[in-house]
mmCIF file of all heavy atoms in Angstrom:
data_model
loop_
_atom_site.group_PDB
_atom_site.id
_atom_site.type_symbol
_atom_site.label_atom_id
_atom_site.label_comp_id
_atom_site.label_asym_id
_atom_site.label_seq_id
_atom_site.Cartn_x
_atom_site.Cartn_y
_atom_site.Cartn_z
ATOM 1 N N GLN C 7 6.524 25.546 0.113
ATOM 2 C CA GLN C 7 5.238 24.988 -0.244
ATOM 3 C C GLN C 7 5.380 23.917 -1.334
ATOM 4 O O GLN C 7 4.717 22.857 -1.273
ATOM 5 C CB GLN C 7 4.292 26.104 -0.722
ATOM 6 C CG GLN C 7 3.887 27.062 0.367
ATOM 7 C CD GLN C 7 3.285 28.344 -0.149
ATOM 8 O OE1 GLN C 7 3.203 28.549 -1.347
ATOM 9 N NE2 GLN C 7 2.923 29.207 0.772
ATOM 10 N N SER C 8 6.196 24.144 -2.297
ATOM 11 C CA SER C 8 6.433 23.153 -3.335
ATOM 12 C C SER C 8 7.009 21.892 -2.799
ATOM 13 O O SER C 8 6.626 20.769 -3.152
ATOM 14 C CB SER C 8 7.371 23.727 -4.422
ATOM 15 O OG SER C 8 6.771 24.857 -5.040
ATOM 16 N N LEU C 9 7.983 22.010 -1.877
ATOM 17 C CA LEU C 9 8.626 20.827 -1.254
ATOM 18 C C LEU C 9 7.584 20.055 -0.408
ATOM 19 O O LEU C 9 7.558 18.839 -0.448
ATOM 20 C CB LEU C 9 9.784 21.280 -0.377
ATOM 21 C CG LEU C 9 10.565 20.176 0.281
ATOM 22 C CD1 LEU C 9 11.154 19.192 -0.753
ATOM 23 C CD2 LEU C 9 11.690 20.740 1.155
ATOM 24 N N ALA C 10 6.744 20.793 0.318
ATOM 25 C CA ALA C 10 5.689 20.111 1.133
ATOM 26 C C ALA C 10 4.765 19.308 0.220
ATOM 27 O O ALA C 10 4.433 18.165 0.566
ATOM 28 C CB ALA C 10 4.931 21.139 1.945
ATOM 29 N N GLN C 11 4.382 19.871 -0.877
ATOM 30 C CA GLN C 11 3.457 19.175 -1.766
ATOM 31 C C GLN C 11 4.174 17.961 -2.448
ATOM 32 O O GLN C 11 3.539 16.951 -2.670
ATOM 33 C CB GLN C 11 2.900 20.129 -2.807
ATOM 34 C CG GLN C 11 1.919 21.079 -2.129
ATOM 35 C CD GLN C 11 1.270 22.068 -3.101
ATOM 36 O OE1 GLN C 11 1.585 22.029 -4.296
ATOM 37 N NE2 GLN C 11 0.436 22.948 -2.565
ATOM 38 N N LEU C 12 5.463 18.106 -2.752
ATOM 39 C CA LEU C 12 6.201 17.002 -3.308
ATOM 40 C C LEU C 12 6.250 15.842 -2.292
ATOM 41 O O LEU C 12 6.039 14.666 -2.666
ATOM 42 C CB LEU C 12 7.582 17.448 -3.707
ATOM 43 C CG LEU C 12 8.492 16.383 -4.354
ATOM 44 C CD1 LEU C 12 7.908 15.909 -5.678
ATOM 45 C CD2 LEU C 12 9.902 16.966 -4.548
ATOM 46 N N CYS C 13 6.551 16.162 -1.047
ATOM 47 C CA CYS C 13 6.547 15.124 -0.005
ATOM 48 C C CYS C 13 5.200 14.433 0.132
ATOM 49 O O CYS C 13 5.121 13.207 0.248
ATOM 50 C CB CYS C 13 6.962 15.709 1.340
ATOM 51 S SG CYS C 13 8.679 16.212 1.429
ATOM 52 N N GLN C 14 4.134 15.191 0.045
ATOM 53 C CA GLN C 14 2.778 14.635 0.104
ATOM 54 C C GLN C 14 2.565 13.670 -1.046
ATOM 55 O O GLN C 14 1.962 12.587 -0.861
ATOM 56 C CB GLN C 14 1.716 15.730 0.089
ATOM 57 C CG GLN C 14 1.690 16.579 1.323
ATOM 58 C CD GLN C 14 0.881 17.852 1.117
ATOM 59 O OE1 GLN C 14 0.078 17.934 0.194
ATOM 60 N NE2 GLN C 14 1.097 18.840 1.955
ATOM 61 N N THR C 15 3.017 14.042 -2.223
ATOM 62 C CA THR C 15 2.864 13.159 -3.409
ATOM 63 C C THR C 15 3.612 11.853 -3.190
ATOM 64 O O THR C 15 3.092 10.758 -3.510
ATOM 65 C CB THR C 15 3.372 13.891 -4.662
ATOM 66 O OG1 THR C 15 2.595 15.113 -4.816
ATOM 67 C CG2 THR C 15 3.209 13.054 -5.900
ATOM 68 N N PHE C 16 4.848 11.935 -2.676
ATOM 69 C CA PHE C 16 5.636 10.707 -2.438
ATOM 70 C C PHE C 16 4.926 9.797 -1.406
ATOM 71 O O PHE C 16 4.856 8.590 -1.601
ATOM 72 C CB PHE C 16 7.031 11.022 -1.951
ATOM 73 C CG PHE C 16 7.938 11.523 -3.046
ATOM 74 C CD1 PHE C 16 8.794 12.556 -2.831
ATOM 75 C CD2 PHE C 16 7.910 10.950 -4.301
ATOM 76 C CE1 PHE C 16 9.685 13.003 -3.824
ATOM 77 C CE2 PHE C 16 8.742 11.412 -5.333
ATOM 78 C CZ PHE C 16 9.637 12.436 -5.059
ATOM 79 N N ILE C 17 4.420 10.381 -0.321
ATOM 80 C CA ILE C 17 3.727 9.576 0.703
ATOM 81 C C ILE C 17 2.506 8.935 0.087
ATOM 82 O O ILE C 17 2.230 7.763 0.310
ATOM 83 C CB ILE C 17 3.356 10.494 1.894
ATOM 84 C CG1 ILE C 17 4.595 10.997 2.630
ATOM 85 C CG2 ILE C 17 2.404 9.755 2.857
ATOM 86 C CD1 ILE C 17 5.359 9.959 3.345
ATOM 87 N N PHE C 18 1.723 9.708 -0.696
ATOM 88 C CA PHE C 18 0.492 9.173 -1.290
ATOM 89 C C PHE C 18 0.826 8.046 -2.264
ATOM 90 O O PHE C 18 0.227 6.975 -2.216
ATOM 91 C CB PHE C 18 -0.214 10.320 -2.023
ATOM 92 C CG PHE C 18 -1.504 9.852 -2.701
ATOM 93 C CD1 PHE C 18 -2.618 9.598 -1.986
ATOM 94 C CD2 PHE C 18 -1.522 9.693 -4.049
ATOM 95 C CE1 PHE C 18 -3.786 9.163 -2.571
ATOM 96 C CE2 PHE C 18 -2.702 9.265 -4.713
ATOM 97 C CZ PHE C 18 -3.817 9.019 -3.968
ATOM 98 N N ASN C 19 1.832 8.255 -3.140
ATOM 99 C CA ASN C 19 2.182 7.225 -4.091
ATOM 100 C C ASN C 19 2.722 5.981 -3.416
ATOM 101 O O ASN C 19 2.442 4.866 -3.856
ATOM 102 C CB ASN C 19 3.203 7.744 -5.108
ATOM 103 C CG ASN C 19 2.580 8.627 -6.148
ATOM 104 O OD1 ASN C 19 1.527 8.320 -6.666
ATOM 105 N ND2 ASN C 19 3.203 9.728 -6.467
ATOM 106 N N GLY C 20 3.477 6.154 -2.342
ATOM 107 C CA GLY C 20 3.997 4.990 -1.607
ATOM 108 C C GLY C 20 2.869 4.199 -0.980
ATOM 109 O O GLY C 20 2.889 2.955 -0.959
ATOM 110 N N PHE C 21 1.852 4.892 -0.471
ATOM 111 C CA PHE C 21 0.699 4.204 0.117
ATOM 112 C C PHE C 21 -0.050 3.427 -0.949
ATOM 113 O O PHE C 21 -0.410 2.259 -0.749
ATOM 114 C CB PHE C 21 -0.237 5.201 0.780
ATOM 115 C CG PHE C 21 -1.481 4.558 1.307
ATOM 116 C CD1 PHE C 21 -1.447 3.703 2.379
ATOM 117 C CD2 PHE C 21 -2.702 4.793 0.676
ATOM 118 C CE1 PHE C 21 -2.600 3.090 2.843
ATOM 119 C CE2 PHE C 21 -3.857 4.193 1.145
ATOM 120 C CZ PHE C 21 -3.819 3.309 2.224
ATOM 121 N N ILE C 22 -0.287 3.986 -2.115
ATOM 122 C CA ILE C 22 -0.950 3.308 -3.165
ATOM 123 C C ILE C 22 -0.185 2.040 -3.591
ATOM 124 O O ILE C 22 -0.745 0.982 -3.817
ATOM 125 C CB ILE C 22 -1.216 4.232 -4.408
ATOM 126 C CG1 ILE C 22 -2.131 5.376 -4.032
ATOM 127 C CG2 ILE C 22 -1.745 3.450 -5.609
ATOM 128 C CD1 ILE C 22 -3.524 4.962 -3.591
ATOM 129 N N ALA C 23 1.137 2.187 -3.681
ATOM 130 C CA ALA C 23 1.981 1.026 -4.056
ATOM 131 C C ALA C 23 1.886 -0.090 -3.008
ATOM 132 O O ALA C 23 1.750 -1.253 -3.339
ATOM 133 C CB ALA C 23 3.441 1.463 -4.199
ATOM 134 N N MET C 24 1.900 0.280 -1.717
ATOM 135 C CA MET C 24 1.779 -0.725 -0.658
ATOM 136 C C MET C 24 0.411 -1.404 -0.674
ATOM 137 O O MET C 24 0.299 -2.628 -0.525
ATOM 138 C CB MET C 24 2.018 -0.125 0.715
ATOM 139 C CG MET C 24 3.473 0.176 1.008
ATOM 140 S SD MET C 24 3.799 0.671 2.721
ATOM 141 C CE MET C 24 2.837 2.143 2.885
ATOM 142 N N LEU C 25 -0.640 -0.591 -0.894
ATOM 143 C CA LEU C 25 -1.967 -1.150 -0.973
ATOM 144 C C LEU C 25 -2.101 -2.117 -2.145
ATOM 145 O O LEU C 25 -2.694 -3.212 -2.007
ATOM 146 C CB LEU C 25 -2.970 -0.009 -1.099
ATOM 147 C CG LEU C 25 -4.429 -0.301 -0.908
ATOM 148 C CD1 LEU C 25 -4.692 -0.858 0.464
ATOM 149 C CD2 LEU C 25 -5.235 0.972 -1.155
ATOM 150 N N THR C 26 -1.533 -1.742 -3.258
ATOM 151 C CA THR C 26 -1.547 -2.613 -4.437
ATOM 152 C C THR C 26 -0.830 -3.935 -4.119
ATOM 153 O O THR C 26 -1.349 -5.013 -4.444
ATOM 154 C CB THR C 26 -0.873 -1.914 -5.628
ATOM 155 O OG1 THR C 26 -1.551 -0.698 -5.911
ATOM 156 C CG2 THR C 26 -0.881 -2.775 -6.895
ATOM 157 N N ASP C 27 0.302 -3.873 -3.476
ATOM 158 C CA ASP C 27 1.041 -5.055 -3.077
ATOM 159 C C ASP C 27 0.184 -5.960 -2.184
ATOM 160 O O ASP C 27 0.165 -7.159 -2.351
ATOM 161 C CB ASP C 27 2.321 -4.705 -2.356
ATOM 162 C CG ASP C 27 3.394 -4.085 -3.255
ATOM 163 O OD1 ASP C 27 3.277 -4.190 -4.490
ATOM 164 O OD2 ASP C 27 4.314 -3.429 -2.697
ATOM 165 N N ASP C 28 -0.513 -5.338 -1.223
ATOM 166 C CA ASP C 28 -1.355 -6.138 -0.309
ATOM 167 C C ASP C 28 -2.440 -6.856 -1.086
ATOM 168 O O ASP C 28 -2.720 -8.000 -0.803
ATOM 169 C CB ASP C 28 -1.945 -5.235 0.747
ATOM 170 C CG ASP C 28 -0.950 -4.789 1.784
ATOM 171 O OD1 ASP C 28 0.162 -5.333 1.822
ATOM 172 O OD2 ASP C 28 -1.259 -3.848 2.533
ATOM 173 N N TYR C 29 -3.094 -6.191 -2.024
ATOM 174 C CA TYR C 29 -4.166 -6.855 -2.790
ATOM 175 C C TYR C 29 -3.622 -8.002 -3.625
ATOM 176 O O TYR C 29 -4.233 -9.078 -3.726
ATOM 177 C CB TYR C 29 -4.891 -5.848 -3.687
ATOM 178 C CG TYR C 29 -5.905 -5.027 -2.939
ATOM 179 C CD1 TYR C 29 -5.850 -3.644 -2.865
ATOM 180 C CD2 TYR C 29 -6.964 -5.648 -2.287
ATOM 181 C CE1 TYR C 29 -6.745 -2.898 -2.168
ATOM 182 C CE2 TYR C 29 -7.917 -4.897 -1.570
ATOM 183 C CZ TYR C 29 -7.793 -3.537 -1.525
ATOM 184 O OH TYR C 29 -8.724 -2.796 -0.825
ATOM 185 N N PHE C 30 -2.455 -7.817 -4.250
ATOM 186 C CA PHE C 30 -1.872 -8.927 -5.010
ATOM 187 C C PHE C 30 -1.468 -10.076 -4.082
ATOM 188 O O PHE C 30 -1.566 -11.224 -4.446
ATOM 189 C CB PHE C 30 -0.720 -8.428 -5.883
ATOM 190 C CG PHE C 30 -1.187 -7.761 -7.123
ATOM 191 C CD1 PHE C 30 -0.872 -6.460 -7.390
ATOM 192 C CD2 PHE C 30 -1.942 -8.442 -8.057
ATOM 193 C CE1 PHE C 30 -1.329 -5.802 -8.517
ATOM 194 C CE2 PHE C 30 -2.417 -7.811 -9.194
ATOM 195 C CZ PHE C 30 -2.081 -6.483 -9.438
ATOM 196 N N GLN C 31 -0.992 -9.747 -2.866
ATOM 197 C CA GLN C 31 -0.630 -10.801 -1.951
ATOM 198 C C GLN C 31 -1.883 -11.564 -1.545
ATOM 199 O O GLN C 31 -1.869 -12.789 -1.399
ATOM 200 C CB GLN C 31 0.048 -10.205 -0.715
ATOM 201 C CG GLN C 31 0.582 -11.285 0.224
ATOM 202 C CD GLN C 31 1.319 -10.698 1.448
ATOM 203 O OE1 GLN C 31 1.451 -9.472 1.564
ATOM 204 N NE2 GLN C 31 1.771 -11.552 2.283
ATOM 205 N N LEU C 32 -3.011 -10.891 -1.374
ATOM 206 C CA LEU C 32 -4.268 -11.549 -1.082
ATOM 207 C C LEU C 32 -4.670 -12.497 -2.194
ATOM 208 O O LEU C 32 -5.174 -13.620 -1.941
ATOM 209 C CB LEU C 32 -5.379 -10.536 -0.832
ATOM 210 C CG LEU C 32 -5.517 -9.926 0.550
ATOM 211 C CD1 LEU C 32 -6.552 -8.838 0.569
ATOM 212 C CD2 LEU C 32 -5.888 -10.998 1.574
ATOM 213 N N LEU C 33 -4.462 -12.055 -3.435
ATOM 214 C CA LEU C 33 -4.795 -12.929 -4.569
ATOM 215 C C LEU C 33 -3.923 -14.181 -4.601
ATOM 216 O O LEU C 33 -4.368 -15.280 -4.917
ATOM 217 C CB LEU C 33 -4.659 -12.168 -5.884
ATOM 218 C CG LEU C 33 -5.696 -11.145 -6.195
ATOM 219 C CD1 LEU C 33 -5.334 -10.295 -7.423
ATOM 220 C CD2 LEU C 33 -7.061 -11.822 -6.385
ATOM 221 N N ARG C 34 -2.652 -14.014 -4.211
ATOM 222 C CA ARG C 34 -1.709 -15.157 -4.255
ATOM 223 C C ARG C 34 -1.822 -16.042 -3.021
ATOM 224 O O ARG C 34 -1.563 -17.224 -3.082
ATOM 225 C CB ARG C 34 -0.271 -14.625 -4.365
ATOM 226 C CG ARG C 34 0.082 -14.056 -5.727
ATOM 227 C CD ARG C 34 1.574 -13.752 -5.846
ATOM 228 N NE ARG C 34 2.010 -12.751 -4.867
ATOM 229 C CZ ARG C 34 2.039 -11.422 -5.056
ATOM 230 N NH1 ARG C 34 1.623 -10.917 -6.201
ATOM 231 N NH2 ARG C 34 2.481 -10.619 -4.114
ATOM 232 N N GLU C 35 -2.146 -15.434 -1.856
ATOM 233 C CA GLU C 35 -2.174 -16.153 -0.603
ATOM 234 C C GLU C 35 -3.455 -15.866 0.185
ATOM 235 O O GLU C 35 -3.444 -15.281 1.250
ATOM 236 C CB GLU C 35 -0.981 -15.750 0.254
ATOM 237 C CG GLU C 35 0.365 -15.905 -0.424
ATOM 238 C CD GLU C 35 1.490 -15.307 0.437
ATOM 239 O OE1 GLU C 35 1.426 -15.394 1.669
ATOM 240 O OE2 GLU C 35 2.396 -14.729 -0.179
ATOM 241 N N PRO C 36 -4.610 -16.364 -0.315
ATOM 242 C CA PRO C 36 -5.865 -16.062 0.386
ATOM 243 C C PRO C 36 -5.930 -16.594 1.817
ATOM 244 O O PRO C 36 -6.636 -16.062 2.643
ATOM 245 C CB PRO C 36 -6.933 -16.697 -0.515
ATOM 246 C CG PRO C 36 -6.189 -17.673 -1.373
ATOM 247 C CD PRO C 36 -4.811 -17.209 -1.483
ATOM 248 N N GLU C 37 -5.150 -17.649 2.133
ATOM 249 C CA GLU C 37 -5.154 -18.225 3.460
ATOM 250 C C GLU C 37 -4.559 -17.222 4.484
ATOM 251 O O GLU C 37 -4.759 -17.386 5.691
ATOM 252 C CB GLU C 37 -4.429 -19.562 3.533
ATOM 253 C CG GLU C 37 -2.929 -19.488 3.245
ATOM 254 C CD GLU C 37 -2.525 -19.400 1.786
ATOM 255 O OE1 GLU C 37 -3.397 -19.472 0.896
ATOM 256 O OE2 GLU C 37 -1.336 -19.257 1.526
ATOM 257 N N GLN C 38 -3.831 -16.223 4.030
ATOM 258 C CA GLN C 38 -3.215 -15.253 4.928
ATOM 259 C C GLN C 38 -4.050 -13.954 5.051
ATOM 260 O O GLN C 38 -3.548 -12.923 5.465
ATOM 261 C CB GLN C 38 -1.804 -14.869 4.372
ATOM 262 C CG GLN C 38 -0.819 -16.032 4.315
ATOM 263 C CD GLN C 38 -0.467 -16.505 5.692
ATOM 264 O OE1 GLN C 38 -0.337 -15.729 6.614
ATOM 265 N NE2 GLN C 38 -0.315 -17.821 5.846
ATOM 266 N N ALA C 39 -5.308 -14.029 4.658
ATOM 267 C CA ALA C 39 -6.169 -12.840 4.557
ATOM 268 C C ALA C 39 -6.205 -12.066 5.890
ATOM 269 O O ALA C 39 -6.106 -10.824 5.871
ATOM 270 C CB ALA C 39 -7.557 -13.202 4.123
ATOM 271 N N GLY C 40 -6.355 -12.733 6.995
ATOM 272 C CA GLY C 40 -6.426 -12.019 8.288
ATOM 273 C C GLY C 40 -5.198 -11.241 8.572
ATOM 274 O O GLY C 40 -5.229 -10.042 8.981
ATOM 275 N N GLU C 41 -4.044 -11.849 8.425
ATOM 276 C CA GLU C 41 -2.787 -11.187 8.704
ATOM 277 C C GLU C 41 -2.550 -10.026 7.716
ATOM 278 O O GLU C 41 -2.120 -8.956 8.129
ATOM 279 C CB GLU C 41 -1.646 -12.177 8.577
ATOM 280 C CG GLU C 41 -0.281 -11.597 8.911
ATOM 281 C CD GLU C 41 0.837 -12.618 8.829
ATOM 282 O OE1 GLU C 41 0.573 -13.810 9.100
ATOM 283 O OE2 GLU C 41 1.936 -12.223 8.475
ATOM 284 N N ILE C 42 -2.864 -10.213 6.465
ATOM 285 C CA ILE C 42 -2.705 -9.193 5.439
ATOM 286 C C ILE C 42 -3.637 -8.035 5.734
ATOM 287 O O ILE C 42 -3.241 -6.866 5.619
ATOM 288 C CB ILE C 42 -2.925 -9.762 4.036
ATOM 289 C CG1 ILE C 42 -1.784 -10.779 3.726
ATOM 290 C CG2 ILE C 42 -2.944 -8.645 2.986
ATOM 291 C CD1 ILE C 42 -2.068 -11.585 2.470
ATOM 292 N N ALA C 43 -4.851 -8.344 6.162
ATOM 293 C CA ALA C 43 -5.805 -7.269 6.475
ATOM 294 C C ALA C 43 -5.316 -6.451 7.694
ATOM 295 O O ALA C 43 -5.409 -5.204 7.664
ATOM 296 C CB ALA C 43 -7.197 -7.887 6.795
ATOM 297 N N ARG C 44 -4.824 -7.110 8.711
ATOM 298 C CA ARG C 44 -4.299 -6.371 9.907
ATOM 299 C C ARG C 44 -3.139 -5.471 9.529
ATOM 300 O O ARG C 44 -3.103 -4.294 9.882
ATOM 301 C CB ARG C 44 -3.890 -7.348 10.999
ATOM 302 C CG ARG C 44 -5.065 -7.883 11.801
ATOM 303 C CD ARG C 44 -4.614 -8.708 13.037
ATOM 304 N NE ARG C 44 -3.957 -9.974 12.616
ATOM 305 C CZ ARG C 44 -4.607 -11.054 12.222
ATOM 306 N NH1 ARG C 44 -5.930 -11.059 12.236
ATOM 307 N NH2 ARG C 44 -3.972 -12.156 11.876
ATOM 308 N N GLU C 45 -2.235 -5.988 8.725
ATOM 309 C CA GLU C 45 -1.091 -5.194 8.249
ATOM 310 C C GLU C 45 -1.579 -4.019 7.388
ATOM 311 O O GLU C 45 -1.075 -2.881 7.480
ATOM 312 C CB GLU C 45 -0.113 -6.052 7.471
ATOM 313 C CG GLU C 45 1.102 -5.275 6.936
ATOM 314 C CD GLU C 45 1.960 -4.630 7.995
ATOM 315 O OE1 GLU C 45 1.960 -5.094 9.146
ATOM 316 O OE2 GLU C 45 2.626 -3.633 7.661
ATOM 317 N N GLY C 46 -2.588 -4.295 6.508
ATOM 318 C CA GLY C 46 -3.166 -3.219 5.689
ATOM 319 C C GLY C 46 -3.761 -2.117 6.494
ATOM 320 O O GLY C 46 -3.582 -0.939 6.208
#
């Protein structure tokens, strides 16, 4: 159970990090919004 919850935490944190990256990419490259949104 502890291992399962640890894995969930890693998956959740990884998703937040990727989402943060996508938002910063949107700020830097607004012309790529459609592609970034699809990938998001």
